[in-house]
Amino acid sequence: MNDYTLGAERITELRAAHRQTRDKREADRIKAVVLLGTGWSAEQVAEVLQVDPNTVRNHFKRYQQGGVKALGDVAFRGSACALDEGQLAELDAHLQTHLYQTAKAIAAWVKTTFGVSYTGSGMTALLHRLGYVYKKPRLVPGKADPKAQRAFLEQYEKLKQYKGQDDPIYFMDAAHPQHNPVIACGWIKRGEEHEVPTNTGRQRVNINGAIDLERLEPVVRFDDTINADSTIALFEQLERVNLVATWIYVICDNAPYYRSRVVQEYLKTSRIKLVFLPPYAPNLNLIERLWKFFKKEILYNRYFETFAEFKAACAAFFANPGRYHRELRSLLTENFEIVGE
């Protein structure tokens, strides 16, 4: 295992150079060396700077060979020759449909395809020039239908335009947090570990909820299971909260119990009107952002010894939603994203 430790004098020199430079790329190279030299792993530095871990290691090697000055002398060209404009366009098109884990793998494709040689650091510089960064991809439903999503958003806009003034629009869904911490990044003393205890059981809380964008006051209930009966119970809560509404519009996914005979019979005499999302489109259900925020506040890096304590913490989050009004106002906006395009 390589030892990247640097002495205090060299770290001080690097930090001074970092303050003086006006070149962002050079500043990032210096930052990579400082972080690596003070105990960070190459992977951790790469995640922060959005580069490949090998690039971080190469920056350190360059510093060892030529000092701070060497960190400012990084060219965009490969070791043999540069790509022409047509080859750059072909590489760009290729990278938009193929995901590589390392710059070296891309350099190998370039070598095979064009006969042009690039080092790992040279390819990284070229990728930056083309507008690429090193980050994790995002998972989306494989069967998402962009056309259906756009059609729903048109329907949603018409609903907002023609609904009654006192008629709310809710986004509804269920969450099932498990009695176990969710590990997330946090500030930990360099060179040390921070342990979070875990539970052996798999008990979970079933929360059925809905939220409207005007008041941002979640209406939730805790049930042994989420089914038609718990859904009807949630509808009854919504009707009690909205006494003056003529209709209460509830946007939901296509869970079978929403379309069950029992729920459909209830809706015949209810003020609830269901508006179904297209299949495989959780990105359009804004309550998903509430669940994500809730999990961040309650589950991330937190240990509850007993299930009762865990359930009480979940309930406490929803007992006073006003505490999070500012955060929810920022999160629950109508900046919908179409996925699958």
Side-chain angles (χ1 to χ4, degrees):
M1 182 175 178
N2 293 325
D3 182 9
Y4 296 107
T5 304
L6 295 175
E9 185 176 340
R10 300 180 77 182
I11 293 295
T12 300
E13 177 192 31
L14 284 162
R15 285 175 173 162
H18 183 269
R19 288 193 297 270
Q20 293 170 5
T21 185
R22 294 295 179 266
D23 185 291
K24 182 181 183 302
R25 295 190 187 281
E26 182 179 359
D28 280 350
R29 295 178 203 122
I30 296 172
K31 192 183 302 180
V33 174
V34 170
L35 294 176
L36 201 58
T38 52
W40 288 46
S41 69
E43 289 73 20
Q44 289 172 322
V45 179
E47 181 71 20
V48 170
L49 299 181
Q50 297 290 278
V51 296
D52 185 273
N54 285 330
T55 299
V56 176
R57 299 184 184 97
N58 287 334
H59 289 335
F60 195 90
K61 291 178 184 177
R62 188 174 293 109
Y63 170 71
Q64 286 182 313
Q65 294 168 359
V68 175
K69 185 178 182 301
L71 296 177
D73 301 329
V74 179
F76 286 114
R77 296 194 170 194
S79 57
C81 63
L83 301 177
D84 61 33
E85 292 301 318
Q87 292 169 330
L88 287 174
E90 186 174 343
L91 172 61
D92 190 23
H94 177 74
L95 293 177
Q96 292 183 49
T97 57
H98 296 77
L99 186 63
Y100 291 87
Q101 292 186 1
T102 66
K104 284 186 176 180
I106 300 174
W109 182 86
V110 168
K111 175 68 174 177
T112 301
T113 306
F114 304 122
V116 178
S117 298
Y118 274 84
T119 63
S121 59
M123 178 54 65
T124 299
L126 176 60
L127 292 172
H128 284 308
R129 176 184 169 191
L130 293 176
Y132 289 85
V133 295
Y134 191 77
K135 64 180 182 179
K136 294 178 181 178
R138 180 167 62 94
L139 294 174
V140 299
K143 298 181 180 180
D145 184 344
K147 184 177 180 180
Q149 293 172 61
R150 285 191 288 269
F152 169 80
L153 292 180
E154 291 178 6
Q155 177 190 8
Y156 175 68
E157 290 300 322
K158 290 180 180 178
L159 174 59
K160 291 195 300 177
Q161 182 179 355
Y162 294 111
K163 73 177 184 66
Q165 182 177 354
D166 297 320
D167 295 349
I169 301 176
Y170 282 88
F171 290 83
M172 177 178 69
D173 194 19
H176 312 276
Q178 193 175 81
H179 178 211
N180 244 326
V182 175
I183 298 302
C185 293
W187 290 100
I188 301 171
K189 190 75 171 180
R190 187 176 293 114
E192 297 183 4
E193 298 290 337
H194 184 95
E195 297 180 345
V196 178
T198 186
N199 306 100
T200 57
R202 294 189 178 182
Q203 287 182 289
R204 67 181 187 180
V205 173
N206 296 305
I207 310 173
N208 209 2
I211 190 169
D212 73 300
L213 303 190
E214 294 296 325
R215 289 168 291 191
L216 294 177
E217 296 177 357
V219 178
V220 301
R221 58 179 298 107
F222 291 70
D223 291 294
D224 292 335
T225 186
I226 306 298
N227 54 22
D229 291 335
S230 64
T231 298
I232 291 173
L234 180 60
F235 289 163
E236 292 172 341
Q237 287 180 236
L238 292 175
E239 290 182 303
R240 289 194 294 271
V241 170
N242 297 278
L243 295 176
V244 300
T246 303
W247 299 108
I248 302 167
Y249 297 95
V250 179
I251 296 173
C252 62
D253 61 22
N254 291 269
Y257 41 80
Y258 293 152
R259 297 183 181 274
S260 67
R261 179 184 58 80
V262 176
V263 168
Q264 295 305 312
E265 283 295 321
Y266 175 83
L267 293 176
K268 289 179 180 178
T269 57
S270 168
R271 290 180 293 138
I272 301 288
K273 282 189 175 293
L274 293 186
V275 180
F276 288 99
L277 290 161
Y280 311 107
N283 50 298
L284 301 182
N285 196 345
L286 295 185
I287 198 173
E288 295 290 351
R289 301 180 194 175
L290 170 66
W291 297 140
K292 184 176 181 180
F293 177 72
F294 154 72
K295 291 174 183 177
K296 178 181 177 182
E297 292 294 315
I298 301 300
L299 303 183
Y300 282 16
N301 298 331
R302 294 187 64 186
Y303 170 70
F304 299 96
E305 184 171 356
T306 68
F307 181 69
E309 292 172 340
F310 170 67
K311 187 173 182 179
C314 293
F317 174 90
F318 295 103
N320 184 14
R323 289 179 298 171
Y324 309 109
H325 191 273
R326 181 172 59 85
E327 291 91 339
L328 294 180
R329 179 62 66 192
S330 175
L331 284 171
L332 276 68
T333 60
E334 294 173 315
N335 58 335
F336 295 100
E337 181 182 6
I338 304 296
V339 301
E341 291 187 300

